[in-house]
Amino acid sequence: MLYAILCYNNEDVVCAWSKEQDDEVMARLQVVTGKLRDQGRLGPVARLMPTTAATTLRKTKDEPLIIDGPFAETKEQFLGFYVVDCETLDDAVAVAKDLAEANPGGGSYELRPIGAFFPGKEAA
Amino acid sequence: MTDPAWINTALSSARPQAVAALLRYFRNLDTAEEAFQEACLRALRTWPEKGPPRDPAAWLIFVGRNSGIDAARRQSKQAPLPAEELVSDLEDAEADIAERLDGQHYRDDILRLLFICCHPDLPATQQVALALRIVSGLSVKQIARAFLVGESAMEQRITRAKARIANADVPFEAPGPAERSERVAAVLAMVYLVFNEGYSAGATEIANRAPLCEEAIRLARLLLRLFQTEPEVMGLTALLLLQHARAAARFNAEGELVLMEDQDRTLWNKALIDEGLALIDKAMRHRRPGPYQIQSAIAALHARAARPEDTDWAEIDLLYSVLESMTPSPVVTLNRAVAFAKLRGPEAALKLIEPLAPKLSGYFHFFGVRGGLLMQLGRTDEAREAFDRAIALANTAAEAAHIRMHLDRLSVPSPAAKPKAKAPSRQLH
C-alpha cells in the first residue's frame, strides 16, 4: 500500500536554518530516500515553500474566495511529503522514524494511507 | 535536538516572539532581554536531557517570566517595590498561558517590539542597531563588526537608543490604524536598510556583513507572517529574496564586483528566486502597487532572463517610470538610466541624468553611470574625469576597484577592438 508521509514543522524554525544546516539535513534525508529508491519503494517527494508563499481558493456558493496564505492558521505547518510503498503501518512508521532521525528537532509526521494515486507527468 | 546547533536554531527562531511577550509582562526592554537570556540558559541545560518542548517559544516565555519575577523579587529587597500594576500583571501565572500565545497576542507582541525598535524618535542607525540586537539577537560584537565600528561605540549606540525609548515614554498599547500603517512603513524601511547594509558590502567585508542580508530576510518573513495580506510586505520580501539570490555571483575570485550582465547565472539561487516570484504574483493580485512591489518586479524581470540579452528592458524602463512617479528621487532616475541606455542609447540616457548633477554631486554611482555612458559614446576624456570623481567617492574598495577597471580600459588605446563598455550601476549588481 502507498503511504503519504506528511511533514509538519514550525516553518519559522525551518526558515531560520543556516544554509549549512539545511544542506546537512537534506544530505541525511537523501540517504533515507536513496535506500527507499533502491528498494523501488519511493514515489514523489516534495518540499514546500513556506505558507507565506501560499494562496488559498475557498469554494463558496458563488464566486470562489481567493485568500493569501493557508486557510487554517496552525503552529506547525504542512511543509512537505513523501510517497512511499509500505506493506504495513509498521513499515511506514519505520520510514518516518528514519526521517525523524535524519531531521531532528521539532515537528511531526502524519502517516496517511493513499486512497487513489495518479502519478501524472514527471515535472521538470 | 540534543545537538547544541539545533537548540540554538530553536532558541533564535523563538526569540522575537519570546522577547516580545516578555516585554509585555515586564514593560522594560532590559528586563525582558535578561529574562529571555535566563530562559535560554535553562533551555541549554534541560532540553538536551528531556528533549525539546513541543512549543519552544511558550516554554521560553513561561520560564523567562518566572525568572524575571524572581529577579524582580530579589531586587525589591534592595530597591523600592515595583509599581503595583506591574506586580499584579505578573501574578496570574500558568492559567491562561496557552491562550496568551494565541495568534492575536503573538501579532501584537511582535508588532509592539518592532514599533519600539523603529520608534520615530530614533535615528535610522539606532533603529537598525536596536532591531538587530533585540529582535534578531545578534551580539553587540557582531553588529559592531557589520557596521565597521568599535564594539564600545556600538554598545553606546544601543544604550542610547534604549535610554531614548525609556525617556520617550513609549506607549505599550498598539497604535490606531492610521499611525499603525505609518509605523509599519518605518519597520519595512528599517528591514530594507538592514539588507542594504549587508548588500552594499565589498568582498572583503562580506563575511561580516552578509549575515545582515539573512537577518533582513528573516525579519521580512516575520513581517509577512504578521501581514499575510499586505502586498507591500510581500513586495519587500520578494525584493530581498531576489537580490540575495544573486549573492554567490556578485563577486569574482579576486573579490571584484561582477556586473549583473557578466554574472554566471547558474550561480543564482533558484529556490530564492522561485519564492520571490511566487510572492510577487501574490502581491500583484491585490492591485495595490507600491514602491517595494515595483522594485521587486524589476528584480524579477532580471531574474527571469536566462541570458542578459533576454532582459525585458522596455518593461524595466516602464516600471522605473512608475517608480519615479510614486517616489520621485534622483537615485531612481539614475537607476532608470541603465534601462534607458539599453532602449534609447547612451546619448538619451546621458540627457536623462544630466539634470541630476547638482543633487548627486557627492554620489558615487552618479559618476560611475555617467562615466560608463560617456565611455560608450567614445568621449574618453570626460569619461575619465567622471570615473576619477567616482573613485574619490567610492564607499568600498570593491567599488573603487571596479571603476579603476574601466579607467584601465580607457587608458589602453585599442582602436581595433573598442572596449566593451558598460554602465556601472549599483542597481545591476
Side-chain angles (χ1 to χ4, degrees):
Chain A
M1 174 156 55
L2 288 178
Y3 269 86
I5 301 183
L6 310 179
C7 317
Y8 289 86
N9 202 348
N10 180 333
E11 67 187 358
D12 287 351
V13 174
V14 175
C15 284
W17 286 353
S18 67
K19 190 178 177 306
E20 290 72 33
Q21 281 176 320
D22 202 289
D23 291 348
E24 210 184 299
V25 170
M26 291 321 269
R28 282 200 304 259
L29 288 173
Q30 265 162 30
V31 174
V32 179
T33 51
K35 248 185 246 163
L36 294 168
R37 185 177 294 118
D38 291 347
Q39 296 164 2
R41 294 169 59 199
L42 187 70
V45 175
R47 178 179 182 177
L48 308 180
M49 284 188 195
T51 55
T52 45
T55 303
T56 299
L57 187 143
R58 182 80 191 156
K59 289 188 274 184
T60 66
K61 251 189 5 257
D62 314 303
E63 193 61 9
L65 205 59
I66 296 175
I67 51 179
D68 291 306
F71 188 67
E73 204 168 315
T74 50
K75 284 224 154 121
E76 289 183 344
Q77 293 80 28
F78 177 40
L79 297 182
F81 64 86
Y82 302 82
V83 173
V84 185
D85 195 358
C86 300
E87 293 260 333
T88 64
L89 175 61
D90 282 352
D91 290 346
V93 170
V95 172
K97 274 187 175 161
D98 287 346
L99 292 170
E101 202 177 312
N103 182 5
S108 55
Y109 295 100
E110 177 182 330
L111 314 176
R112 184 92 73 93
I114 291 180
F117 182 64
F118 311 96
K121 182 171 155 274
E122 193 84 13
Chain B
M1 191 60 117
T2 50
D3 179 348
W6 300 106
I7 296 185
N8 282 335
T9 310
L11 293 179
S12 62
S13 55
R15 182 185 173 101
Q17 186 190 348
V19 172
L22 291 167
L23 180 65
R24 167 158 46 85
Y25 294 126
F26 298 120
R27 305 201 160 208
N28 176 297
L29 271 179
D30 285 328
T31 316
E33 261 196 302
E34 279 158 27
F36 179 74
Q37 288 308 335
E38 180 59 34
C40 286
L41 287 177
R42 290 195 201 175
L44 287 170
R45 280 201 301 269
T46 51
W47 290 6
E49 272 173 53
K50 297 189 178 168
R54 228 184 105 67
D55 187 342
W59 191 96
L60 291 164
I61 295 166
F62 185 68
V63 172
R65 208 167 80 131
N66 286 345
S67 79
I69 297 168
D70 285 350
R73 284 196 185 122
R74 276 196 306 277
Q75 270 183 3
S76 68
K77 290 183 182 148
Q78 299 137 14
L81 281 167
E84 178 61 32
E85 84 255 33
L86 186 65
V87 179
S88 61
D89 202 18
L90 301 179
E91 289 301 319
D92 54 10
E94 291 104 308
D96 54 348
I97 184 131
E99 194 213 306
R100 274 169 187 273
L101 297 174
D102 271 353
Q104 199 49 48
H105 252 318
Y106 167 87
R107 209 182 132 90
D108 285 351
D109 282 351
I110 294 185
L111 265 187
R112 181 187 306 114
L113 188 65
L114 290 168
F115 284 169
I116 285 177
C117 292
C118 295
H119 194 272
D121 281 2
L122 298 179
T125 49
Q126 289 186 9
Q127 292 184 3
V128 167
L130 200 59
L132 289 173
R133 179 70 206 95
I134 307 276
V135 187
S136 303
L138 298 192
S139 70
V140 174
K141 192 173 173 182
Q142 283 173 307
I143 305 171
R145 229 191 281 149
F147 285 91
L148 314 171
V149 302
E151 212 176 316
S152 59
M154 185 50 75
E155 181 83 63
Q156 256 185 19
R157 190 184 292 181
I158 292 171
T159 310
R160 228 176 276 141
K162 283 182 182 166
R164 233 183 222 186
I165 285 170
N167 291 338
D169 198 20
V170 176
F172 279 77
E173 288 66 43
E179 198 194 338
R180 186 171 165 126
S181 78
E182 232 168 74
R183 303 285 297 267
V184 171
V187 174
L188 294 180
M190 179 276 288
V191 172
Y192 195 36
L193 195 58
V194 170
F195 184 86
N196 272 330
E197 285 294 333
Y199 194 74
S200 56
T204 47
E205 310 136 12
I206 208 85
N208 288 332
R209 306 188 79 180
L212 292 180
C213 293
E214 273 148 38
E215 277 314 321
I217 289 173
R218 278 181 60 184
L219 289 170
R221 287 190 195 282
L222 184 68
L223 282 172
L224 199 51
R225 294 280 304 252
L226 298 181
F227 299 99
Q228 291 231 5
T229 59
E230 184 47 63
E232 274 295 84
V233 181
M234 298 174 199
L236 174 67
T237 312
L239 178 61
L240 304 192
L241 291 170
L242 291 169
Q243 290 194 320
H244 195 52
R246 298 198 287 264
R250 289 180 61 227
F251 294 98
N252 63 17
E254 285 73 47
E256 293 160 353
L257 275 177
V258 181
L259 283 182
M260 186 146 65
E261 52 185 296
D262 297 329
Q263 286 172 8
D264 176 356
R265 297 186 177 216
T266 60
L267 294 177
W268 290 2
N269 184 322
K270 193 173 175 302
L272 294 183
I273 290 176
D274 284 349
E275 192 182 344
L277 295 179
L279 284 171
I280 293 174
D281 282 350
K282 280 184 68 171
M284 294 296 176
R285 240 184 28 81
H286 287 267
R287 306 202 180 284
R288 272 164 44 212
Y292 292 118
Q293 290 172 76
I294 303 291
Q295 290 177 78
S296 66
I298 293 170
L301 286 169
H302 287 302
R304 282 187 206 268
R307 300 167 307 165
E309 56 268 36
D310 299 334
T311 311
D312 188 347
W313 291 108
E315 186 68 22
I316 290 176
D317 183 53
L318 185 72
L319 287 167
Y320 269 122
S321 73
V322 176
L323 192 60
E324 271 181 315
S325 63
M326 266 179 196
T327 54
S329 125
V331 174
V332 174
T333 308
L334 182 67
N335 287 332
R336 186 181 176 188
V338 177
F340 217 76
K342 295 275 180 196
L343 288 172
R344 303 179 185 86
E347 186 99 53
L350 206 56
K351 275 211 186 90
L352 179 76
I353 66 165
E354 278 317 330
L356 311 175
K359 280 179 190 150
L360 297 180
S361 63
Y363 191 54
F364 162 78
H365 294 286
F366 175 73
F367 293 101
V369 171
R370 189 178 141 80
L373 294 171
L374 289 165
M375 188 164 75
Q376 289 180 51
L377 290 167
R379 289 157 67 176
T380 316
D381 289 344
E382 290 165 273
R384 186 171 293 124
E385 204 178 302
F387 284 144
D388 282 340
R389 289 286 296 278
I391 287 178
L393 294 166
N395 304 300
T396 64
E399 282 180 356
H402 183 77
I403 297 294
R404 233 168 256 125
M405 189 183 80
H406 286 293
L407 271 177
D408 290 348
R409 283 187 193 161
L410 281 177
S411 55
V412 181
S414 52
K418 216 179 153 195
K420 198 183 167 201
K422 274 159 202 156
S425 149
R426 173 184 198 166
Q427 181 64 38
L428 292 186
H429 289 160

